[in-house]
Amino acid sequence: MAGSGIPDYAPRNMPAAPSYRRAVRPLYPEIPDTICDCALLPDDYPAPPDDLVHTRQMHEQTLELSLDEGRARASFRIEIRHCENCGQWWWVERSSRVDITYARDSDPPEAIGSVHVELGSAVRCSGREEADALTQWWCDYQNATTRRDRLAQQGDGRDVQRCIDLGNTSRAARQLSESTARKCKLSRDARWRHDRELRQCIDTLEQHPDDADTWQTLQRVQARCALARSWDAAIEPQDWTIEEWWTPALAGVRRLEFEIHDVRRAARGKALGSPEHQSLRSIEDAIAARWEAHCECVLWPSPGVAFHALLEHAKLLEPMVVPGDMASWRHPDAIGRRLRALVQSGAIEITRHLAVAPWLAARTGLPDSHELLQRRNAASYWLPIRRARRAAANR
């Protein structure tokens, strides 16, 4: 129909186009607006500075630092921010660097460009006073780490302990120093010199657990490794290897832990008392007996090393592969009790890295890795949605 605006090929009684808008179910339950954005940001490690757009900048300064008696220089932009909604104070550091890019497979390397990288960290402070003090701490810490790295290249570890002490000044300081204060492992080379002898002793004891002479030799080598570790103030529990605390009680356990995967696979879905279940019960009991004997005779280098080793072992356990097999809980519960005793002793610091399987969390009180992940994911999911809503309302 000419002039009607309706194409000739369209039906005259064509209905209006339907609306296809539909409700989308959110991935996580909505977080009420009464909860401030600050609560959705991490509180056990630094947050990205760009996530503080809801806060007000109270102070800004540029630090031009001369480090290690003028041997190095660094530049940082420092901000102190305050949230008017919940009253939280934040300390922010920003810096940048230029990374040179090189042509692939060029020999000698041929520079073809550069990439500008923006870096930054934001940590919570108890108040304005702590935020101001953190700026001076940052200057001292940068100077200490720069000097430490230079001395470490010369085999001198004098300033390692100073970096550790500075990193333990406060909760905010621990977060800012977490990934850098412990990177110089001065005992590494000394430890590697003993590695072959450790493995040779253990290989012999795997075949002959009653070989007293080899066991004494292993103990002497382990003592030398422990002495080398004591030189390194930056040691962490995960740095120790199983060879440094292995005992003959663990002879054969590596083979059993390798074989159990196929046995578990065969036992899944089988009935109690079936041949597959009996095979699984036999190998689980053999592993449990070796580990319990080991725990009774081992001299752990420290409570932290004991906790890390037991936690790594607990990750290999899978109770209730066969439904109703309550005996499968005996060893996991025994390991859980040992972990709980170490935590209750006060010698273990619970950090964000200590997240365990739900069954172990329920028996030890350690953080549930699934629950932590869901909580972090929910906060990351709702934070941009809330901010987009506010931006739309303000337009």
Side-chain angles (χ1 to χ4, degrees):
M1 295 173 53
S4 66
I6 300 177
D8 291 339
Y9 56 80
R12 288 184 172 81
N13 297 324
M14 182 177 65
S19 173
Y20 289 100
R21 295 182 60 188
R22 57 183 178 180
V24 177
R25 179 180 299 176
L27 295 178
Y28 301 94
E30 184 165 0
I31 298 175
D33 287 337
T34 53
I35 296 178
C36 181
D37 285 2
C38 290
L40 305 186
L41 298 176
D43 60 359
D44 54 350
Y45 59 95
D50 292 343
D51 279 347
L52 299 181
V53 294
H54 66 287
T55 62
R56 180 184 175 189
Q57 181 174 295
M58 307 299 292
H59 174 73
E60 180 183 13
Q61 70 180 103
T62 299
L63 296 178
E64 297 291 346
L65 302 182
S66 175
L67 305 174
D68 192 14
E69 300 177 346
R71 292 181 176 88
R73 301 191 63 83
S75 176
F76 300 94
R77 191 169 87 249
I78 304 300
E79 300 174 11
I80 296 177
R81 307 186 72 91
H82 181 250
C83 178
E84 297 179 347
N85 185 31
C86 69
Q88 178 66 58
W89 287 87
W90 293 86
W91 183 90
V92 182
E93 62 86 12
R94 299 177 187 267
S95 61
S96 62
R97 72 167 188 255
V98 176
D99 293 339
I100 305 300
T101 57
Y102 298 91
R104 181 180 297 179
D105 300 330
S106 60
D107 188 18
E110 178 186 354
I112 59 174
S114 62
V115 178
H116 185 80
V117 182
E118 294 287 342
L119 307 170
S121 300
V123 293
R124 301 169 190 266
C125 297
S126 59
R128 177 63 187 266
E129 295 78 11
E130 183 185 359
D132 289 332
L134 203 57
T135 301
Q136 182 57 50
W137 173 90
W138 183 255
C139 299
D140 296 339
Y141 183 72
Q142 294 301 314
N143 189 64
T145 54
T146 303
R147 174 178 166 82
R148 175 208 61 194
D149 291 346
R150 177 176 61 84
L151 294 176
Q153 292 176 355
Q154 305 168 7
D156 187 338
R158 282 178 297 170
D159 272 29
V160 174
Q161 186 60 50
R162 171 164 169 73
C163 293
I164 300 299
D165 293 340
L166 282 171
N168 290 327
T169 303
S170 66
R171 178 182 175 88
R174 281 193 295 273
Q175 293 178 16
L176 289 167
S177 64
E178 180 181 43
S179 61
T180 56
R182 297 168 175 83
K183 69 181 180 181
C184 290
K185 302 295 190 295
L186 302 182
S187 64
R188 181 186 59 186
D189 293 340
R191 161 65 181 75
W192 281 354
R193 286 197 294 271
H194 302 306
D195 186 70
R196 177 177 295 180
E197 195 172 1
L198 283 173
R199 294 182 183 275
Q200 288 176 345
C201 290
I202 291 174
D203 289 342
T204 300
L205 290 168
E206 286 277 4
Q207 302 299 322
H208 308 286
D210 298 328
D211 188 335
D213 291 338
T214 303
W215 171 224
Q216 290 178 358
T217 301
L218 177 61
Q219 288 178 301
R220 287 196 296 270
V221 180
Q222 288 176 334
R224 289 199 292 268
C225 288
L227 178 61
R229 295 290 194 193
S230 70
W231 300 336
D232 192 352
I235 194 66
E236 294 181 291
Q238 58 268 29
D239 294 330
W240 293 74
T241 64
I242 186 173
E243 290 83 8
E244 294 174 78
W245 46 258
W246 193 91
T247 67
L250 290 177
V253 79
R254 287 189 296 186
R255 173 181 55 81
L256 293 172
E257 289 176 342
F258 176 78
E259 294 174 353
I260 198 173
H261 298 290
D262 289 337
V263 178
R264 280 182 182 144
R265 190 178 303 112
R268 290 192 194 280
K270 300 299 190 297
L272 283 171
S274 64
E276 294 83 1
H277 170 234
Q278 292 176 358
S279 297
L280 177 62
R281 181 81 276 110
S282 175
I283 196 171
E284 284 187 343
D285 289 345
I287 292 174
R290 284 166 169 78
W291 265 92
E292 287 302 314
H294 169 74
C295 290
E296 293 300 326
C297 67
V298 65
L299 297 177
W300 295 111
S302 71
V305 174
F307 183 85
H308 179 75
L310 292 172
L311 188 59
E312 290 301 305
H313 173 60
K315 292 178 181 179
L316 302 177
L317 305 177
E318 290 188 33
M320 297 292 283
V321 171
V322 176
D325 182 14
M326 302 309 297
S328 67
W329 283 109
R330 284 198 297 262
H331 183 54
D333 279 339
I335 295 297
R337 285 192 294 272
R338 293 183 184 278
L339 289 169
R340 188 165 58 247
L342 286 168
V343 172
Q344 292 172 350
S345 71
I348 306 300
E349 179 183 2
I350 302 299
T351 68
R352 65 187 174 96
H353 302 291
L354 296 180
V356 300
W359 69 263
L360 187 58
R363 282 164 163 72
T364 60
L366 292 172
D368 185 329
S369 58
H370 178 73
E371 180 181 336
L372 288 175
L373 179 63
Q374 292 297 96
R375 192 184 311 151
R376 185 73 253 147
N377 287 347
S380 300
Y381 175 81
W382 278 108
L383 190 61
I385 294 177
R386 288 154 56 108
R387 289 177 171 169
R389 288 176 177 173
R390 293 181 200 136
N394 292 333
R395 283 200 295 267

